[in-house]
Amino acid sequence: MLSLKNISIEHPKTPLFNISYNFEAGKFYCILGRTGAGKTEILRALMGLEQLSNGEITLDDENISNRVIWKRNMALVYQQFINYPHLNVLDNVIFPLLRQKIKKSVARQKAISMLELVGLSELADRKPSQLSGGQQQRVALARALVKDARILMMDEPLVNLDYKLREQLREEFPKLIHQSPDSVILYTTTEPKEAMQLADELLIIDNGQIAGHGKPHDLFENPPNLAVAKVISDPPISFVKGHIENGKLIGSDGTILQQSGLQHIANGEVQVGLRPDALSLGGELTSRVVLTEINGSETIVHLNFSFGQAVMLLDGIHMFEADQKINVSLDTNTIMLFSLDGQNITKESN
Amino acid sequence: MAEIRLKNLAHSYNPAHQTEQDYALKPLDLTWEDGKTYALLGPSGCGKTTMLNIISGLVKPSEGQLLFDGQDVTSAPTSKRNIAQVFQFPVIYNTMSVAQNLAFPLVCRKYSDKDIKFQVDKVADLLDLTEYLPMAAKKLTADQKQLISLGRGLVREDVNAILLDEPLTVIDPQMKFELRRKLREINKRSGITMVLVTHDQNEAMTFADEVVVMQDGRVMQSGTPEILFEQPQNTFVGYFIGSPPMNFLPLKNDNGILTCDHTGFSQKMDKLPSKDQYSLGIRPEYLKITEQQNASFGIAKIIQIDDIGIDGIITLSFEDGPHIKLKTRDHKSLHLNGIVGLSMPPNKSLIYQNNNLISSNI
Ligand SMILES: Nc1ncnc2c1ncn2[C@@H]1O[C@H](COP(=O)(O)OP(=O)(O)O)[C@@H](O)[C@H]1O
Ligand SMILES: [Mg+2]
């Protein structure tokens, strides 16, 4: 187990505040957050590239906070696929093993089977420059995997690849990586769908802090706070102002958004989260279309209500003119309510 | 403002071009209406940047003509074309402030100080860069630099077209969502034609009135997002548009009757050369799970469930047969290893002959 205990870092741009978390071996952890939230900073802290101003890092209960990077038993895959340009693919994968003082013949054998695993056996003799982006990133992955490191970190590894390749590697990566039950796997991304698909456990980072963690689906259905709600969905959740009055939810213009069932929430202002699939065509709410985006099978409609702006995701293709008036309904089961300090207060138990 | 026409245009970077392979752009003919939004979509190396550079005048095509409102501008210098371009690998002037970087295209064209300030403030406000205006550009992060480069492209509103070469790659999805909307608003308000280059089909589809899908220097299909989704003219477009991609199942040709194993699909058609390859294209969005007794498209086993938020992607396997994916919002009620029935609306099943669409409305 890899543990972060009250880690803080004083960094001018992306400081970290009091991060504590236990990562278990054999699990795939995704760290999701916006650009600049502190995702890479956490990985850098783990590697010992940032001075901790507080806290400690332990691996199997042993404090590794002061260990030099190459003694931390870690492997990293970067955004920019970094391979040695002068070495062919096979030697690129052998190289980290030789540095670990593994015998050449053993290293070679390991590298060959790793290339087989990532599907690059036939390209073993090529130089990195003769490979496509996706192939280069698979070489980088093979180089990281072959070390059998206890901690495997991937920092937005797909961000520089074509979208279709990303889709393909997103399917391949977990299959390749899940073969090492002793390793902790950390994977950072800004893409909610990618994180949802890959993660066994999901951590949301916001402003240098862990804003939430848990099973992806639970975080999606029931984000603990606004910071999580703001990054967990694509298309994003819309937020409007409202207030609770005797169990009713009322929009800023007086529209009743939910008739009843909210007695457990004290009267007063709340922030209302509307999932894109919470709105559907036909109903009581009047809105004006701001913009329609069609992404093939679905239509994303940006709507102006008298209580604010919200995005509606519809199955199928629907054409609306800008400024067209349409009526929609709101599925009250998926409404999320947040207190003014950002805590999710929708459910009674909260 | 102008209509842009690429007439029998082709380009090879190799002056001694002989074979088709020498061409980064194979002969193509496209017309872009004034004021609309377009996207050039395709994998890297397919010729998107080359096409943009031909329009802006940085590259002179080796064959064919470029017309603005019917006027031949193939040999006109960049400065005469009045086109704003956001480059894939932008140059940000590190020694200048953010404001000076944004003002650069205006200063070059000798705008008055007053106009410069007005335009720069407006574009900074649009891109949420106002607080950064006095800062030195070198202090910015990669995504902020990309915004500046975008801002430089949008700062002039007296142009024929704005060409955007992958301006959103290192921007996170939340910001992308906002920017897409802002770009569309600028287009609606100003009526300037916009051409966006991207490898991300979702970005292309949501941005553009019309998407040009390219592969290997060829236009594979050009059309509205709806047409590309519903009627992909070839298997490449079926694969490239849509996430997950279109499923393709092999079809057998028995004397003019096409059948698809495991699914019960069969279709009689005229004139089907027996040497050709046939396949059935199925969008994951149209495939539905049903009770086994109501199955009209075979029985399959659920071998993977990927929950991606609102939607779930379900991978199914026919007995000893191929895999097929479907997309649904009801994924929470499904179980791994469950045996389920499938149904598929016949009019959404597309038949491909040697990778080209031959039937769409059965
Ligand atoms: N200046 C150049 N000289 C020679 N070949 C080039 C040049 N620019 C691009 N190419 C080649 O032309 C093809 C298309 O490139 P490009 O238009 O940049 O594609 P895209 O923008 O779609 O990634 C590629 O095969 C690329 O290697
Ligand atoms: Mg390009």
Side-chain angles (χ1 to χ4, degrees):
Chain A
M1 186 158 75
L2 172 70
S3 301
L4 302 182
K5 296 181 180 157
N6 307 104
I7 296 288
S8 293
I9 286 174
E10 287 163 10
H11 186 278
K13 270 189 194 150
T14 49
L16 297 181
F17 305 101
N18 205 22
I19 300 228
S20 294
Y21 197 82
N22 294 326
F23 297 97
E24 290 168 36
K27 281 195 179 164
F28 200 123
Y29 292 89
C30 275
I31 302 178
L32 172 68
R34 298 202 52 175
T35 304
K39 304 180 297 293
T40 302
E41 211 48 29
I42 293 180
L43 302 189
R44 288 176 57 83
L46 281 167
M47 286 186 283
L49 296 176
E50 296 286 351
Q51 171 94 42
L52 306 182
S53 61
N54 187 38
E56 64 178 34
I57 301 167
T58 64
L59 182 59
D60 301 330
D61 295 325
E62 205 179 325
N63 187 342
I64 59 166
S65 313
N66 297 315
R67 243 183 236 174
V68 287
I69 177 169
W70 57 89
K71 293 205 173 141
R72 290 188 181 209
N73 208 347
M74 293 174 171
L76 186 73
V77 180
Y78 296 88
Q79 286 178 11
Q80 264 74 25
F81 3 101
I82 301 175
N83 295 302
Y84 300 106
H86 59 289
L87 298 178
N88 69 23
V89 168
L90 181 63
D91 288 331
N92 257 286
V93 183
I94 291 176
F95 190 78
L97 296 174
L98 296 183
R99 269 214 314 216
Q100 288 181 344
K101 308 242 161 39
I102 289 175
K103 244 175 67 188
K104 180 108 201 233
S105 59
V106 179
R108 195 182 153 76
Q109 217 40 56
K110 276 187 103 167
I112 287 173
S113 50
M114 190 52 66
L115 285 180
E116 205 159 306
L117 182 70
V118 301
L120 290 177
S121 303
E122 278 162 28
L123 306 177
D125 296 332
R126 291 218 196 155
K127 293 273 167 63
S129 60
Q130 297 167 310
L131 300 178
S132 72
Q135 291 164 340
Q136 288 188 47
Q137 194 56 316
R138 263 184 281 170
V139 175
L141 179 67
R143 275 182 41 226
L145 285 174
V146 80
K147 284 164 56 177
D148 270 332
R150 287 294 314 282
I151 304 164
L152 174 62
M153 298 186 278
M154 289 172 274
D155 194 10
E156 298 189 43
L158 305 184
V159 79
N160 283 314
L161 298 176
D162 275 10
Y163 190 81
K164 274 285 152 183
L165 261 174
R166 248 186 247 182
E167 235 173 48
Q168 185 193 333
L169 292 188
R170 223 184 260 175
E171 288 211 355
E172 288 178 10
F173 267 33
K175 287 175 191 147
L176 302 179
I177 291 159
H178 263 305
Q179 320 224 341
S180 45
D182 295 330
S183 309
V184 175
I185 296 144
L186 304 181
Y187 184 109
T188 73
T189 179
T190 59
E191 304 252 357
K193 283 182 181 163
E194 178 164 298
M196 293 283 297
Q197 185 174 0
L198 288 175
D200 296 322
E201 296 285 334
L202 183 55
L203 278 81
I204 313 288
I205 303 298
D206 179 55
N207 262 320
Q209 283 165 305
I210 298 181
H213 59 86
K215 295 265 178 268
H217 185 72
D218 296 339
L219 288 172
F220 181 81
E221 290 287 330
N222 194 17
N225 51 50
L226 262 183
V228 173
K230 281 188 174 162
V231 297
I232 196 75
S233 174
D234 180 19
I237 296 168
S238 310
F239 297 95
V240 298
K241 291 210 174 84
H243 62 275
I244 300 287
E245 212 175 287
N246 304 327
K248 285 192 180 73
L249 172 63
I250 300 172
S252 57
D253 65 329
T255 307
I256 298 180
L257 297 174
Q258 187 170 340
Q259 277 289 357
S260 60
L262 301 168
Q263 275 80 3
H264 59 284
I265 305 175
N267 285 353
E269 265 185 69
V270 291
Q271 307 203 55
V272 187
L274 304 174
R275 255 166 58 173
D277 58 339
L279 293 163
S280 51
L281 282 181
E284 302 289 293
L285 297 172
T286 325
S287 66
R288 283 201 185 270
V289 174
V290 178
L291 179 71
T292 311
E293 300 178 304
I294 292 166
N295 80 358
S297 63
E298 295 169 321
T299 309
I300 301 167
V301 196
H302 300 242
L303 296 171
N304 241 336
F305 295 90
S306 47
F307 54 83
Q309 287 208 344
V311 169
M312 168 170 75
L313 180 67
L314 297 174
D315 248 344
I317 292 170
H318 305 260
M319 299 289 191
F320 303 108
E321 294 299 315
D323 239 23
Q324 187 180 337
K325 224 171 108 176
I326 58 172
N327 272 22
V328 303
S329 57
L330 175 60
D331 172 10
T332 51
N333 289 320
T334 59
I335 288 183
M336 301 172 197
L337 299 174
F338 300 90
S339 60
L340 292 188
D341 65 355
Q343 295 309 303
N344 189 336
I345 51 170
T346 320
K347 293 246 169 75
E348 207 137 357
S349 53
N350 296 351
Chain B
M1 318 269 160
E3 173 201 89
I4 297 174
R5 166 123 198 248
L6 295 84
K7 193 174 167 188
N8 299 325
L9 194 110
H11 185 67
S12 170
Y13 287 102
N14 173 3
H17 46 269
Q18 267 141 27
T19 66
E20 240 201 347
Q21 295 220 313
D22 293 335
Y23 282 81
L25 278 183
K26 280 131 193 141
L28 55 89
D29 211 300
L30 287 170
T31 304
W32 292 339
E33 284 174 45
D34 186 21
K36 282 196 170 185
T37 50
Y38 292 88
L40 304 182
L41 173 69
S44 51
C46 72
K48 305 181 294 292
T49 298
T50 302
M51 201 190 284
L52 277 201
N53 288 343
I54 286 173
I55 295 167
S56 65
L58 294 173
V59 169
K60 187 173 181 298
S62 32
E63 283 159 36
Q65 285 176 301
L66 177 71
L67 309 173
F68 287 1
D69 275 340
Q71 268 203 336
D72 190 337
V73 294
T74 321
S75 304
T78 320
S79 55
K80 289 266 154 14
R81 300 189 188 198
N82 213 10
I83 293 236
Q85 188 168 8
V86 173
F87 294 98
Q88 186 173 3
F89 305 104
V91 182
I92 299 291
Y93 304 104
N94 272 328
T95 53
M96 292 188 194
S97 70
V98 171
Q100 286 168 324
N101 265 284
L102 289 175
F104 197 73
L106 305 175
V107 173
C108 293
R109 284 171 191 80
K110 308 216 162 31
Y111 280 52
S112 74
D113 287 354
K114 196 172 131 232
D115 287 348
I116 290 177
K117 179 158 176 14
F118 181 79
Q119 289 297 112
V120 167
D121 285 350
K122 193 161 90 176
V123 84
D125 182 49
L126 187 84
L127 301 176
D128 288 328
L129 287 170
T130 306
E131 61 174 306
Y132 300 104
L133 282 177
M135 260 171 70
K138 65 164 176 275
K139 294 218 172 116
L140 301 180
T141 55
D143 58 319
Q144 289 166 333
K145 285 187 180 168
Q146 209 170 35
L147 283 183
I148 299 196
S149 137
L150 182 60
R152 278 208 308 233
L154 301 175
V155 77
R156 290 173 63 208
E157 290 202 346
D158 56 348
V159 292
N160 279 324
I162 300 177
L163 311 180
L164 307 150
D165 199 351
E166 309 204 10
L168 307 176
T169 39
V170 306
I171 307 273
D172 69 28
Q174 291 81 10
M175 184 80 182
K176 254 187 213 171
F177 189 82
E178 288 297 317
L179 285 177
R180 243 167 37 208
R181 169 171 169 163
K182 286 175 175 170
L183 288 175
R184 289 275 301 267
E185 277 171 10
I186 295 173
N187 165 260
K188 288 268 159 356
R189 197 188 61 232
S190 66
I192 302 174
T193 310
M194 287 189 181
V195 185
L196 172 77
V197 163
T198 177
H199 57 77
D200 179 342
Q201 47 114 3
N202 191 46
E203 200 170 295
M205 303 270 274
T206 48
F207 171 80
D209 295 320
E210 197 168 316
V211 179
V212 182
V213 187
M214 298 174 61
Q215 183 198 24
D216 234 350
R218 266 195 195 88
V219 173
M220 301 305 284
Q221 189 173 358
S222 178
T224 61
E226 180 177 12
I227 292 284
L228 296 178
F229 185 80
E230 296 285 344
Q231 310 263 300
Q233 286 304 304
N234 44 65
T235 51
F236 178 78
V237 175
Y239 157 80
F240 210 82
I241 297 280
S243 176
M246 186 175 249
N247 296 292
F248 293 101
L249 298 173
L251 287 170
K252 281 200 195 113
N253 178 12
D254 292 324
N255 296 319
I257 299 179
L258 294 172
T259 57
C260 180
D261 281 354
H262 312 286
T263 67
F265 178 91
S266 119
Q267 176 68 36
K268 188 175 183 317
M269 292 191 74
D270 295 336
K271 299 196 216 87
L272 295 176
S274 58
K275 62 182 192 321
D276 290 351
Q277 298 281 333
Y278 299 91
S279 58
L280 187 63
I282 302 284
R283 285 281 183 208
E285 288 82 355
Y286 291 131
L287 192 62
K288 295 278 178 270
I289 287 183
T290 65
E291 301 284 325
Q292 283 189 41
Q293 63 266 27
N294 299 334
S296 58
F297 201 75
I299 307 275
K301 179 169 156 184
I302 298 177
I303 58 169
Q304 194 174 328
I305 301 177
D306 286 307
D307 183 342
I308 55 169
I310 295 170
D311 296 308
I313 311 287
I314 316 298
T315 311
L316 301 125
S317 168
F318 292 110
E319 197 176 358
D320 305 321
H323 292 179
I324 190 164
K325 284 189 194 300
L326 74 78
K327 194 162 156 185
T328 173
R329 287 192 189 175
D330 296 328
H331 50 293
K332 280 141 221 158
S333 60
L334 300 174
H335 302 285
L336 208 56
N337 295 323
I339 310 285
V340 295
L342 293 174
S343 73
M344 179 69 203
N347 64 341
K348 300 290 185 189
S349 310
L350 307 180
I351 295 173
Y352 290 83
Q353 175 183 34
N354 297 336
N355 296 323
N356 289 310
L357 183 67
I358 51 169
S359 113
S360 48
N361 252 326
I362 303 166

